[in-house]
Amino acid sequence: MPKRSGSGRGRRHFSYTPRIRKNERIRVREVRVINPDGKQVGVMATEQARKLARQQGLDLVEIAPTARPPVCRILDFGKYMYEQSKKG
C-alpha cells in the first residue's frame, strides 16, 4: 500500500459570496434609491426608503455598497436572488 506524502491536510478552497444586505441590515444614514422600474428616486434617509419599499410589498436591497451614498433598489428579493443564480 503506497504511503501518502504530507499530513493529509490539503488547501481548502472557499467560495466567497458577499452577503447582500437588505431591509433592516442596511445600517447607513442615507441611500440612493432606485424604484422597481429602474428609475432613480433620489437620495433619502434609509428609514424612509425602507418604508417606501414596505408600502409596495417589496424589499430594499443594497446593490452598490461601495458607492457614496450606497445604491439600493426596491425589488422582490426572492426573485432577485433567483435571477442572480441564473446569471452565473
Side-chain angles (χ1 to χ4, degrees):
M1 185 171 193
K3 288 185 178 180
R4 273 201 254 174
S5 62
S7 64
R9 295 182 189 168
R11 289 191 176 187
R12 292 190 175 113
H13 298 279
F14 293 101
S15 172
Y16 176 72
T17 307
R19 191 166 287 262
I20 298 171
R21 286 189 283 265
K22 65 175 184 156
N23 300 325
E24 281 69 36
R25 295 218 179 243
I26 301 170
R27 300 275 183 192
V28 294
R29 184 177 306 153
E30 62 182 18
V31 293
R32 183 174 306 277
V33 179
I34 299 174
N35 71 11
D37 300 326
K39 294 187 176 140
Q40 191 172 165
V41 177
V43 176
M44 63 178 64
T46 305
E47 187 53 43
Q48 183 182 359
R50 277 190 213 113
K51 184 178 178 182
L52 187 61
R54 277 193 302 265
Q55 287 173 346
Q56 297 177 40
L58 298 170
D59 299 297
L60 182 67
V61 179
E62 192 175 54
I63 57 170
T66 57
R68 290 292 162 233
V71 179
C72 294
R73 189 167 190 164
I74 297 173
L75 49 80
D76 178 338
F77 186 70
K79 184 177 176 183
Y80 173 75
M81 290 306 294
Y82 174 76
E83 289 170 357
Q84 292 300 309
S85 71
K86 288 295 187 182
K87 282 185 181 179

